[in-house]
C-alpha cells in the first residue's frame, strides 16, 4: 500500500529533489501586540484571505485583539483544528489571526507560492490527517511538533518558481470556471424558487384568472379561501421545553431528533449525532412525530418546512422546531401547507413578526396567527404534484452542476499534487494541454 510518506520518498528518488524536515524551512513565530492590524482568516479552498473580503465568515473576533498572532506577508499560517482539511497557506497579506492558529516564518531558500501549493497538496493533506489527534474528525487537532517533523520536498529555487508560476495560471483558470458553475447554480436556484412560488400561489397553473390581493401573498386567485392557520382544525406545538433534551442524552444511534438543520429542500434528513434512546423518547412521547405531520423550523433561517412521511414516523420533534398536525379530512392538505411555508411571501412575513434579540424566533402563537390560502382540495393536490415535479427537475440540475464543480476541484487537487511532486513536468508543459 502506498502511503503519503512513500509518495514523497518515491518523488524524491525520481526527481533528485531533497527531502528535508519542515522545521528546517519554516519556523514557528508567536508575535502578538498589534490589535489594530487587519484581521485575516484561513479558508480550505483559498488559503489566507482578508476577513473583510468575505461575507461568509460568521466567527466573531474577540473584543481584545492584543493576543492575536501577527502575520507578515510570506508567512505560513495554519488553522490547527482544520489543517487536515487543507486550512493553511502562505499569506499574501500583513495582518493578525486567531491565537489558536500557528504562524511560521519561511526560509528565504523556499519560494512562498511553491510552499503554499506543496503543503496544500493531496499528499500533505493525508499526512496532516494521520498526524492529527482527537476522537472525532471535528475535534482533530494537529500538534505543532508533529507538523514540524513532516518531510518537505524542496526542488531547486528556479524549479520552485517555475512550478508556482505554472500553477498560478492553471489554478486561476480552473477557479474561474468553478466560480462560473457556482454562479450558474445560484441563478438556477433563484429561478426555481420563483417558479415554485408562482405555482404554489396560483400564478403558474390552470386556475381562474380573477385575482384578489391579500397580504402577505399579494395577488391570488379570487376563488381561493383566505384565513388564519388557527381557524384550521389542527394541533400546533413546539419541541420539548419542560423536558428539554440535554447534550448528554444524545447518542450515536437511536431515534432521530428533527431540528431546523434536518429540514432540507422540503424533506427531513437524519443529522449525525442527533438521536436519542427509547428511554428518553418515552419521556417526551407527546413530541413523537407521525406520518402527515408538518415540521417547521422556528429559529434562525425561517421558512424551512418539511412533511413527515412513513419513513420518519416515530422520529422526535426537536426544541428548535414547531409541529402542525392537521385533522384528517380537513380543508388543508399537509403537503400544501409545507409549500406555503416555503414561499418567499411567508418567509418575509415571519421575519417581520419573529421575536428574539439575537436570533429570529417563532412560537406557537405566531404560527397559529399565520395567514394561509385554502384552495379546493383538488387544486391543492395539483399544486403539490406540480411542485414535486419542479423539485425533481431542480435536484437533477443541481446534482449535475455540483458534479461539475466536484470534478473541477479534483482536477485542481490532482494537478497541484502532480506538479509539486515532479510527476508532471511543468518545464515542458503547454498550459492548454492541461485545461483548454
Amino acid at each position: 500500500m502506498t502511503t503519503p510518506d512513500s509518495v514523497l520518498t518515491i518523488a524524491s528518488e525520481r526527481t533528485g529533489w531533497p527531502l528535508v524536515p519542515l522545521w528546517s524551512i519554516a519556523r514557528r513565530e508567536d508575535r502578538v501586540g498589534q490589535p489594530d492590524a487587519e484581521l485575516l482568516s484561513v479558508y480550505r479552498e483559498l488559503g489566507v484571505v482578508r476577513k473583510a473580503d468575505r461575507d461568509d465568515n460568521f466567527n466573531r473576533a474577540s473584543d481584545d485583539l492584543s493576543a492575536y498572532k501577527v502575520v507578515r506577508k510570506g508567512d505560513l499560517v495554519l488553522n490547527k483544528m482544520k489543517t487536515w482539511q487543507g486550512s493553511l497557506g502562505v499569506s499574501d497579506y500583513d495582518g493578525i489571526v486567531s491565537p489558536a492558529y500557528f504562524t511560521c516564518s519561511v526560509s528565504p531558500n523556499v519560494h512562498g507560492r511553491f510552499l503554499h501549493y506543496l503543503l496544500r497538496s493531496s499528499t500533505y493533506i493525508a499526512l496532516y490527517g494521520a498526524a492529527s489527534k482527537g476522537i472525532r474528525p471535528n475535534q482533530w487537532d494537529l500538534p505543532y511538533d508533529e507538523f514540524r517533523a513532516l518531510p518537505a520536498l524542496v526542488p531547486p529555487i528556479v524549479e520552485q518558481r517555475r512550478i508556482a508560476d505554472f500553477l498560478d495560471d492553471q489554478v486561476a483558470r480552473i477557479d474561474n470556471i468553478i466560480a462560473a458553475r457556482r454562479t450558474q447554480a445560484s441563478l438556477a436556484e433563484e429561478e426555481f424558487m420563483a417558479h415554485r412560488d408562482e405555482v404554489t400561489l396560483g400564478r403558474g397553473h390552470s386556475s381562474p384568472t380573477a385575482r384578489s390581493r391579500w397580504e402577505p401573498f399579494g395577488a391570488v386567485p379570487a376563488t381561493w379561501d383566505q384565513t388564519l392557520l388557527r381557524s384550521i382544525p389542527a394541533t400546533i406545538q413546539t419541541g420539548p421545553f419542560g423536558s428539554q433534551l440535554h447534550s448528554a442524552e444524545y447518542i450515536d444511534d437511536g431515534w432521530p431528533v428533527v431540528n431546523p438543520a434536518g429540514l432540507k429542500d422540503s424533506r427531513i434528513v437524519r443529522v449525525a449525532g442527533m438521536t436519542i434512546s427509547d428511554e428518553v423518547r418515552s419521556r417526551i412521547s407527546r413530541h413523537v412525530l407521525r406520518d402527515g405531520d408538518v415540521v417547521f423550523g422556528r429559529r434562525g433561517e425561517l421558512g424551512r418546512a418539511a412533511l413527515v412521511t412513513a419513513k420518519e414516523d416515530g422520529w422526535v420533534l426537536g426544541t428548535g422546531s414547531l409541529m402542525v398536525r392537521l385533522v384528517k379530512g380537513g380543508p388543508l392538505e399537509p403537503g400544501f401547507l409545507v409549500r406555503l411555508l416555503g414561499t418567499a411571501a411567508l418567509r418575509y412575513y415571519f421575519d417581520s413578526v419573529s421575536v428574539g434579540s439575537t436570533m429570529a424566533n417563532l412560537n406557537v402563537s405566531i404560527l397559529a396567527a399565520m395567514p394561509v390560502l385554502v384552495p379546493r382540495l383538488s387544486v391543492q393536490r395539483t399544486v403539490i404534484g406540480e411542485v414535486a415535479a419542479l423539485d425533481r427537475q431542480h435536484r437533477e440540475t443541481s446534482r449535475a452542476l455540483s458534479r461539475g464543480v466536484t470534478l473541477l476541484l479534483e482536477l485542481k487537487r490532482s494537478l497541484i499534487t502532480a506538479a509539486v511532486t515532479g510527476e508532471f513536468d511543468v518545464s515542458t508543459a503547454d498550459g492548454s494541454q492541461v485545461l483548454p
Side-chain angles (χ1 to χ4, degrees), residues 128-395:
Y128 307 145
S132 295
K133 312 295 182 183
I135 299 175
R136 297 178 179 177
N138 61 358
Q139 298 174 338
W140 283 357
D141 187 302
L142 178 64
Y144 186 74
D145 285 345
E146 296 282 350
F147 174 73
R148 72 189 296 271
L150 294 176
L153 192 62
V154 184
I157 192 70
V158 173
E159 187 66 17
Q160 292 181 42
R161 293 183 185 277
R162 184 181 295 119
I163 293 170
D165 289 344
F166 171 81
L167 289 175
D168 281 346
D169 173 70
Q170 292 296 310
V171 167
R173 293 166 70 181
I174 296 173
D175 284 344
N176 285 339
I177 299 174
I178 291 173
R181 294 289 182 272
R182 286 174 171 164
T183 298
Q184 187 178 0
S186 179
L187 292 173
E189 177 76 12
E190 291 177 9
E191 182 179 358
F192 158 71
M193 293 177 68
H195 192 184
R196 182 188 62 187
D197 283 7
E198 286 182 354
V199 172
T200 302
L201 300 179
R203 301 169 189 150
H205 62 87
S206 56
S207 62
T209 57
R211 302 284 173 181
S212 65
R213 293 194 63 81
W214 191 51
E215 297 302 333
F217 300 108
V220 296
T223 56
W224 289 21
D225 289 339
Q226 304 163 2
T227 186
L228 301 180
L229 184 58
R230 62 176 171 238
S231 70
I232 305 293
T235 299
I236 305 174
Q237 71 179 56
T238 187
F241 278 107
S243 52
Q244 185 164 349
L245 296 173
H246 302 286
S247 59
E249 294 178 308
Y250 287 102
I251 60 177
D252 289 333
D253 187 20
W255 289 100
V257 176
V258 182
N259 276 315
L263 305 178
K264 303 284 188 181
D265 301 325
S266 301
R267 295 175 297 169
I268 298 174
V269 298
R270 189 183 185 114
V271 177
M274 295 293 291
T275 61
I276 57 175
S277 66
D278 288 331
E279 180 183 359
V280 175
R281 178 175 175 268
S282 65
R283 173 166 60 81
I284 55 174
S285 58
R286 67 183 294 264
H287 302 287
V288 173
L289 296 167
R290 297 303 178 201
D291 186 3
D293 289 349
V294 174
V295 180
F296 181 71
R298 70 175 187 86
R299 290 178 178 170
E301 183 185 340
L302 304 179
R304 295 184 183 182
L307 181 67
V308 178
T309 68
K311 178 183 176 182
E312 297 88 34
D313 189 288
W315 292 18
V316 181
L317 186 68
T319 303
S321 301
L322 288 160
M323 180 271 287
V324 180
R325 181 171 293 161
L326 296 166
V327 173
K328 291 184 178 180
L332 195 60
E333 286 278 352
F336 185 73
L337 177 59
V338 168
R339 296 309 180 183
L340 280 179
L341 287 166
T343 60
L346 282 183
R347 287 199 302 274
Y348 296 144
Y349 169 79
F350 286 130
D351 283 341
S352 69
V353 298
S354 63
V355 295
S357 57
T358 59
M359 179 185 295
N361 202 336
L362 302 176
N363 54 40
V364 170
S365 297
I366 293 174
L367 191 63
M370 177 189 86
V372 292
L373 298 172
V374 190
R376 294 190 310 274
L377 287 173
S378 60
V379 173
Q380 294 182 43
R381 290 163 188 154
T382 297
V383 169
I384 292 169
E386 290 184 2
V387 174
L390 286 176
D391 280 346
R392 288 191 294 271
Q393 182 181 31
H394 177 62
R395 282 197 294 271

Side-chain angles (χ1 to χ4, degrees), residues 39-41 49-55 57-61:
L39 281 169
L40 305 176
S41 295
V49 300
R50 296 187 183 97
K51 192 173 188 295
D53 291 342
R54 305 291 301 186
D55 58 6
N57 188 336
F58 305 107
N59 294 328
R60 187 175 181 274

Side-chain angles (χ1 to χ4, degrees), residues 95-111:
I96 53 176
V97 293
S98 166
Y101 289 8
F102 293 139
T103 55
C104 306
S105 59
V106 175
S107 167
N109 297 323
V110 178
H111 183 53

Side-chain angles (χ1 to χ4, degrees), residues 12-151:
S12 177
E13 292 172 350
R14 181 181 64 249
T15 60
W17 301 345
L19 277 173
V20 302
L22 263 173
W23 59 259
S24 68
I25 59 172
R27 184 178 64 184
R28 183 173 174 180
E29 304 277 2
D30 291 328
R31 302 176 294 256
V32 296
Q34 294 187 19
D36 296 328
E38 183 170 32
L39 281 169
L40 305 176
S41 295
V42 182
Y43 276 67
R44 178 173 56 187
E45 289 187 25
L46 302 172
V48 183
V49 300
R50 296 187 183 97
K51 192 173 188 295
D53 291 342
R54 305 291 301 186
D55 58 6
D56 58 350
N57 188 336
F58 305 107
N59 294 328
R60 187 175 181 274
S62 173
D63 292 333
D64 180 7
L65 302 179
S66 59
Y68 273 49
K69 293 184 179 178
V70 175
V71 176
R72 293 171 181 159
K73 183 176 180 179
D75 281 356
L76 173 64
V77 184
L78 305 86
N79 180 342
K80 63 177 182 176
M81 296 291 290
K82 296 182 179 180
T83 304
W84 63 276
Q85 294 179 323
S87 292
L88 77 163
V90 174
S91 179
D92 289 329
Y93 314 104
D94 293 328
I96 53 176
V97 293
S98 166
Y101 289 8
F102 293 139
T103 55
C104 306
S105 59
V106 175
S107 167
N109 297 323
V110 178
H111 183 53
R113 293 299 293 167
F114 170 79
L115 186 65
H116 175 84
Y117 288 120
L118 177 72
L119 298 184
R120 290 168 54 81
S121 66
S122 298
T123 301
Y124 279 86
I125 301 300
L127 286 172
Y128 307 145
S132 295
K133 312 295 182 183
I135 299 175
R136 297 178 179 177
N138 61 358
Q139 298 174 338
W140 283 357
D141 187 302
L142 178 64
Y144 186 74
D145 285 345
E146 296 282 350
F147 174 73
R148 72 189 296 271
L150 294 176

